[in-house]
Amino acid sequence: EVQLVESGGVLVQPGRSMKLSCAASGFTFSSFPMAWVRQAPTKGLEWVATISTSGGSTYYRDSVKGRFTISRDNAKSTLYLQMDSLRSEDTATYYCTTITEGYFDYWGQGVMVTVSS
Amino acid sequence: NIVMTQSPKSMSISVGDRVTMNCKASQNVYNNIAWYQQKPGQSPKLLIYYASNRYNGVPDRFTGSGYGTDFTLTINSVQAEDAAFYYCQRIYNSPWTFGGGTKLELK
């Protein structure tokens, strides 16, 4: 059974950093591109970042470019999202997802990140 | 950047009705569209990929159609458990943009 378990979400002050993790199991992690998607309270879904199977290619939405870094450790079957210079508008539930042939099929349960002073 | 516009923003339907919701891309995305269902407090679930392919285990009352810039998700004979938000998404390559969502409520 595919499982994606996010962790690392907390309350953080604006301008500070946070790193999210997503532990994967039940599939060959290294064979799938992965992504982070977020959802602000009462709002819709927003794609954040994508990483290729090897980690050699990464893609970001404009509003997080230069502040967020997506990475992966295939030996540990874990996906990461390093978030720097956090802003209040980054407050959201962050989901990790698998990408199969271009679409997002498996999703984690999400982790809440609150950016507030 | 591609903008995905969903309509209507919300709809109230009776059990057994047929419902159609729309997704319009600001430029040609060919058939590179997916549809997701999200219920309150839950993660999104994939329903349809590449515009018209039903994902594993998705009931056949869910049908996707369209090509280019205009796409439709149809639910035949809506069930109570279909009350949810529905999102379209441009897939296949960057940016994987989502639409704003359609809220489906049951009367």
Side-chain angles (χ1 to χ4, degrees):
Chain A
E1 180 195 0
V2 172
Q3 282 201 314
L4 298 169
V5 180
E6 301 95 338
S7 60
V10 290
L11 171 63
V12 64
Q13 292 179 327
R16 302 296 291 266
S17 298
M18 178 188 298
K19 189 170 186 175
L20 303 181
S21 299
C22 171
S25 61
F27 67 103
T28 305
F29 179 74
S30 59
S31 296
F32 293 86
M34 299 289 293
W36 289 97
V37 173
R38 68 184 180 185
Q39 185 169 36
T42 73
K43 300 297 185 184
L45 301 172
E46 190 171 80
W47 167 72
V48 175
T50 294
I51 188 167
S52 62
T53 54
S54 66
S57 295
T58 57
Y59 310 86
Y60 300 91
R61 67 177 300 104
D62 287 346
S63 62
V64 308
K65 277 181 190 172
R67 299 190 300 122
F68 288 13
T69 303
I70 187 172
S71 63
R72 64 192 296 161
D73 185 334
N74 285 341
K76 294 182 177 179
S77 295
T78 303
L79 176 72
Y80 302 101
L81 185 66
Q82 174 69 43
M83 303 185 291
D84 299 324
S85 303
L86 281 162
R87 306 168 180 168
S88 58
E89 54 264 37
D90 297 319
T91 294
T93 295
Y94 285 73
Y95 298 97
C96 68
T97 81
T98 58
I99 302 179
T100 298
E101 298 180 351
Y103 51 85
F104 296 7
D105 46 357
Y106 292 99
W107 295 64
Q109 85 288 350
V111 61
M112 184 67 198
V113 172
T114 303
V115 183
S116 175
S117 54
Chain B
N1 273 347
I2 293 175
V3 176
M4 308 299 294
T5 303
Q6 289 186 244
S7 62
K9 288 193 176 356
S10 66
M11 49 201 322
S12 184
I13 304 294
S14 298
V15 171
D17 283 354
R18 181 172 183 261
V19 61
T20 298
M21 59 188 76
N22 304 297
C23 175
K24 188 173 184 67
S26 60
Q27 58 186 271
N28 186 359
V29 295
Y30 305 95
N31 69 334
N32 297 332
I33 288 291
W35 290 92
Y36 301 86
Q37 177 193 67
Q38 187 181 32
K39 298 180 181 179
Q42 296 186 16
S43 305
K45 288 183 169 57
L46 176 65
L47 295 174
I48 302 287
Y49 60 97
Y50 289 111
S52 61
N53 296 277
R54 208 174 288 116
Y55 188 59
N56 300 337
V58 174
D60 60 8
R61 64 179 180 273
F62 291 90
T63 301
S65 62
Y67 189 88
T69 60
D70 293 287
F71 301 88
T72 298
L73 177 67
T74 299
I75 311 174
N76 287 303
S77 188
V78 168
Q79 302 300 301
E81 62 265 29
D82 298 335
F85 281 90
Y86 292 84
Y87 296 92
C88 66
Q89 181 198 25
R90 182 269 183 110
I91 58 172
Y92 184 68
N93 55 13
S94 182
W96 286 264
T97 307
F98 287 92
T102 292
K103 182 179 182 180
L104 178 62
E105 293 178 301
L106 279 294
K107 291 179 183 173

